[in-house]
């Protein structure tokens, strides 16, 4: 499936919104869950990068929840800016209609970002997991 140029540019812009300083602390904060997840997948002989992506997709957690909520708030503000209805109702409607897709998009972007930072990230994660 071909991806159009506008989508590629949007992906690049959104990738830069990921807080790269939050990635290692994220995995450190969820180290027990990560270890259990990796242990359950060991018979599949997957690379650590693939395992990290699967972990992110399975648990659906942003690296930096505060930043995620700020970005979501911005999307909500942009979406309801022109609506004349009650603000609270508009926000509630946006959450019902778009929050799941927004989180899915953020999780996908985090996985793509792991590809960009794998050279520095994987050795740190291997150390945390006791693989070194």
């Amino acid at each position: 499936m071909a991806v159009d140029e506008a989508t590629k540019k949007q992906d690049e812009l959104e990738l830069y919104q990921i807080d790269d300083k939050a990635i290692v602390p994220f995995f450190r904060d969820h180290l027990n869950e990560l270890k259990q997840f990796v242990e359950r997948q060991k018979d599949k002989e997957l690379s650590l990068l693939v395992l990290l992506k699967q972990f992110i997709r399975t648990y659906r957690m942003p690296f930096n929840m505060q930043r995620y909520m700020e970005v979501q708030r911005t999307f909500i503000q942009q979406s309801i800016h022109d609506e004349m209805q009650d603000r609270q109702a508009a926000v509630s409607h946006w959450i019902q209609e778009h929050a799941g897709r927004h989180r899915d998009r953020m999780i996908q972007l985090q996985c793509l970002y792991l590809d960009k930072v794998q050279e520095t990230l994987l050795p740190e994660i291997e150390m945390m997991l006791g693989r070194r």
Side-chain angles (χ1 to χ4, degrees):
M1 173 186 246
V3 178
D4 64 19
E5 268 315 296
T7 302
K8 286 182 184 177
K9 287 180 182 178
Q10 184 66 27
D11 285 351
E12 282 298 313
L13 287 174
E14 290 179 355
L15 282 174
Y16 288 110
Q17 293 180 5
I18 293 177
D19 181 4
D20 61 341
K21 291 178 181 74
I23 298 172
V24 172
F26 167 83
F27 286 114
R28 189 176 300 117
D29 290 346
H30 298 94
L31 188 57
N32 288 333
E33 295 100 327
L34 179 59
K35 284 181 177 181
Q36 290 171 3
F37 183 84
V38 169
E39 184 63 27
R40 287 192 304 266
Q41 306 298 324
K42 71 179 179 183
D43 61 324
K44 296 179 182 174
E45 298 182 19
L46 301 170
S47 72
L48 182 56
L49 180 63
V50 170
L51 289 170
L52 294 176
K53 289 179 180 182
Q54 286 184 349
F55 179 79
I56 291 168
R57 287 183 180 120
T58 300
Y59 288 92
R60 296 178 40 87
M61 295 180 287
F63 293 141
N64 181 333
M65 182 58 84
Q66 181 179 356
R67 187 165 185 157
Y68 169 78
M69 295 303 290
E70 289 170 4
V71 170
Q72 186 175 35
R73 182 174 39 96
T74 301
F75 279 118
I76 291 170
Q77 288 171 340
Q78 290 171 351
S79 296
I80 67 172
H81 179 71
D82 295 330
E83 296 183 21
M84 300 303 286
Q85 60 183 310
D86 175 39
R87 184 172 178 77
Q88 186 174 356
V91 170
S92 177
H93 175 74
W94 187 94
I95 289 170
Q96 289 174 352
E97 295 293 320
H98 304 286
R101 283 185 299 221
H102 181 258
R103 180 164 291 223
D104 290 344
R105 177 88 174 127
M106 188 63 199
I107 297 304
Q108 182 62 29
L109 289 169
Q110 287 181 169
C111 291
L112 290 171
Y113 198 78
L114 291 181
D115 288 328
K116 294 182 96 146
V117 298
Q118 68 178 310
E119 297 287 324
T120 57
L121 176 67
L122 294 181
E124 288 190 60
I125 301 297
E126 286 175 340
M127 246 177 24
M128 285 192 302
L129 290 171
R131 287 185 157 183
R132 284 185 133 181

